[in-house]
Amino acid sequence: MPLWCSARLSLAIWAFFGFFLLYALRVNLSVALVDMIELNTSLNKNITSNVCPEHSPTPVAPRNTTGKSYPWDADMQGWILGSFFYGYIITQVPGGYLARRFGAKLLLGFGILGTAVFTLFTPLAADLGAGFLIAVRVLEGFGEGVTFPAMHAMWSNWAPPLERSKLLSISYAGAQLGTVVSLPLSGVICFYVDWSYVFYIFGTLGVLWFLFWISMVSDTPETHKTISLAEKEYILSSLSQQLSTQKYVPWKAMLKSVPLWAIVVAHFSYNWTFYTLLTLLPTYMKEILRFDVQENGFLSALPYFGCWVCIIVCGQFADYLREKKNMSTVCVRKTFTAIGMIGPAVFLMAAGFIGCNYEVAVVFLTISTTLGGFSTSGYSINHLDIAPSYAGILLGITNTFGTIPGMVGPLVAKALTHSLSFALPTRKGHNFKDWFRLQKMAKRRLYIRYAIFPVEDPQL
């Protein structure tokens, strides 16, 4: 049954836009926060930012300076950036369970709607104080936590086995493109207008998406109003031997499942790098590499553009290998997961040794994040392979563990870079001998190469 002009492709496209907005709503604070902080409290006592020289030309257009600024120190910034995940982690498993029990369409829709509404209240919360802003971000995470488990549960009823990589990569690639668009666009809005409009614009778009989602998609092929009879029979027949008819959830069997715990390890490992970069890359671009707010947004988005392209291509390629080359699903998932783990780790650690070489830093970060896109056709889809009937719940379990890096990553990075006092090798000097000598002299202190690298990436 052709994929083009099909109801399942329409679902993938609407999901794509949903996750596009979901990540735009999630990451816009990372850029806006750079503009929200008073200059003298940006990275308190961190003299590393003085090593890399200014290199950006003075913008021709005058910058808008009407936005309010707040005296939040590095520790408070870490709490603000990480607070989202304290709400996000709570609703992972409940989201998967509720999606299976009552349907995923409304759960996913209201999850994104709630995130959009609370985003609209972000400027007011910031005015009231850091505590209110943290509370709003927690509530945003609470609503957004149900979305990925709900989407997995929805695809368990819609995605034929040999099309899973294609359909899921299309829908989840929206998250990467949302990051690609929102980071530079947020920078432009901050520069020309006011940081508060970052939240007003994206929040409004999220509300509009919800109206289309409610009217255009259905929970299952049986309830879809415009699906063709041929497509409906194709989907149902391909899934007839895949889905379980039992109503109870085998929690004990899940917790004993070795493949499930392998996915947990992979999910946690990948997310440590991903979430730390997602929340702190704009700060790194400003405080370490010294890019202005406009360059910051565009360069911070570049790695995620590469990842978006990689996800789309890998989704097609993974299903091609399974269908045309007769490679086993296990082999494809393991291969793509290994590339998506080891590749980013190598280039991310290499980026820690290039000092103030701006071009190489951006290239290494871009390659690192791009290679991470292989993981979407690896462990990220594997829930549907091992137990499609419970895919939403399984994703809720693994994403619960995968959320922990988002909670602690910004705090660890901010704490470790609170009072750095060593020199980075610059592009001209490349004085690595002095650099290692200074590191050796730092007794009982844990340092990192840059503000965004709290630990080495684990490998699966």
Side-chain angles (χ1 to χ4, degrees), residues 213-269:
W213 174 260
I214 290 299
S215 61
M216 298 298 291
V217 305
S218 299
D219 278 308
T220 63
E222 296 96 323
T223 59
H224 198 281
K225 297 178 181 179
T226 60
I227 189 174
S228 67
L229 181 61
E231 183 183 4
K232 183 189 297 185
E233 291 179 350
Y234 167 67
I235 296 173
L236 295 178
S237 63
S238 66
L239 295 174
S240 60
Q241 302 299 320
Q242 295 271 321
L243 300 177
S244 172
T245 57
Q246 64 184 25
K247 294 184 178 180
Y248 74 92
V249 178
W251 296 104
K252 187 175 181 180
M254 288 181 182
L255 295 178
K256 290 182 177 180
S257 172
V258 175
L260 176 61
W261 286 106
I263 299 174
V264 168
V265 173
H267 208 151
F268 179 92
S269 303

Side-chain angles (χ1 to χ4, degrees), residues 113-140:
L113 177 65
T115 304
V117 171
F118 283 116
T119 296
L120 292 171
F121 285 105
T122 299
L124 176 62
D127 257 355
L128 293 175
F132 286 92
L133 179 57
I134 289 173
V136 166
R137 291 291 291 178
V138 170
L139 291 173
E140 286 183 36

Side-chain angles (χ1 to χ4, degrees), residues 20-352:
F20 175 97
L21 291 168
L22 201 66
Y23 264 65
L25 295 168
R26 180 187 295 195
V27 306
N28 53 18
L29 181 64
S30 299
V31 176
L33 188 64
V34 174
D35 228 32
M36 294 166 67
I37 304 301
E38 292 179 359
L39 292 178
N40 60 345
T41 58
S42 182
L43 274 178
N44 189 29
K45 297 182 181 179
N46 186 350
I47 67 167
T48 306
S49 61
N50 295 326
V51 175
C52 295
E54 293 283 359
H55 59 93
S56 301
T58 303
V60 176
R63 176 176 177 176
N64 184 284
T65 56
T66 59
K68 296 182 179 179
S69 57
Y70 307 96
W72 299 328
D73 60 20
D75 292 333
M76 182 57 69
Q77 294 174 52
W79 280 106
I80 291 171
L81 289 171
S83 59
F84 170 91
F85 298 98
Y86 287 88
Y88 189 71
I89 196 172
I90 295 174
T91 50
Q92 294 295 320
V93 176
Y97 177 79
L98 293 173
R100 183 176 185 273
R101 184 75 181 273
F102 302 106
K105 171 185 170 180
L106 289 178
L107 187 65
L108 194 153
F110 280 109
I112 296 180
L113 177 65
T115 304
V117 171
F118 283 116
T119 296
L120 292 171
F121 285 105
T122 299
L124 176 62
D127 257 355
L128 293 175
F132 286 92
L133 179 57
I134 289 173
V136 166
R137 291 291 291 178
V138 170
L139 291 173
E140 286 183 36
F142 189 84
E144 197 168 313
V146 304
T147 53
F148 279 95
M151 191 73 256
H152 253 48
M154 203 163 186
W155 279 125
S156 68
N157 293 312
W158 274 95
L162 291 178
E163 293 181 355
R164 283 172 180 159
S165 300
K166 294 188 187 78
L167 292 170
L168 271 76
S169 63
I170 291 172
S171 57
Y172 291 144
Q176 303 298 328
L177 192 62
T179 305
V180 169
V181 173
S182 65
L183 286 175
L185 184 56
S186 296
V188 170
I189 294 171
C190 288
F191 190 89
Y192 289 106
V193 191
D194 184 318
W195 61 260
S196 62
Y197 285 90
V198 171
F199 304 103
Y200 295 142
I201 292 172
F202 287 114
T204 301
L205 290 175
V207 174
L208 291 176
W209 172 88
F210 171 78
L211 300 177
F212 283 100
W213 174 260
I214 290 299
S215 61
M216 298 298 291
V217 305
S218 299
D219 278 308
T220 63
E222 296 96 323
T223 59
H224 198 281
K225 297 178 181 179
T226 60
I227 189 174
S228 67
L229 181 61
E231 183 183 4
K232 183 189 297 185
E233 291 179 350
Y234 167 67
I235 296 173
L236 295 178
S237 63
S238 66
L239 295 174
S240 60
Q241 302 299 320
Q242 295 271 321
L243 300 177
S244 172
T245 57
Q246 64 184 25
K247 294 184 178 180
Y248 74 92
V249 178
W251 296 104
K252 187 175 181 180
M254 288 181 182
L255 295 178
K256 290 182 177 180
S257 172
V258 175
L260 176 61
W261 286 106
I263 299 174
V264 168
V265 173
H267 208 151
F268 179 92
S269 303
Y270 176 77
N271 277 11
W272 186 280
T273 300
F274 181 79
Y275 280 141
T276 305
L277 285 175
L278 194 67
T279 53
L280 292 178
L281 188 55
T283 301
Y284 167 70
M285 290 292 185
K286 178 189 177 184
E287 301 294 342
I288 306 300
L289 298 186
R290 312 292 292 278
F291 290 111
D292 64 38
V293 68
Q294 287 177 296
E295 292 176 308
N296 190 335
F298 284 103
L299 293 174
S300 296
L302 189 59
Y304 300 101
F305 177 77
C307 188
W308 172 69
V309 173
C310 185
I311 288 174
I312 296 294
V313 173
C314 287
Q316 305 296 315
F317 187 51
D319 280 345
Y320 171 79
L321 292 175
R322 296 166 66 215
E323 184 176 3
K324 302 296 183 181
K325 298 299 182 180
N326 293 321
M327 287 184 64
S328 69
T329 298
V330 173
C331 180
V332 171
R333 301 298 184 227
K334 286 183 176 179
T335 301
F336 279 62
T337 298
I339 297 173
M341 295 288 177
I342 298 174
V346 170
F347 282 95
L348 194 59
M349 289 188 289

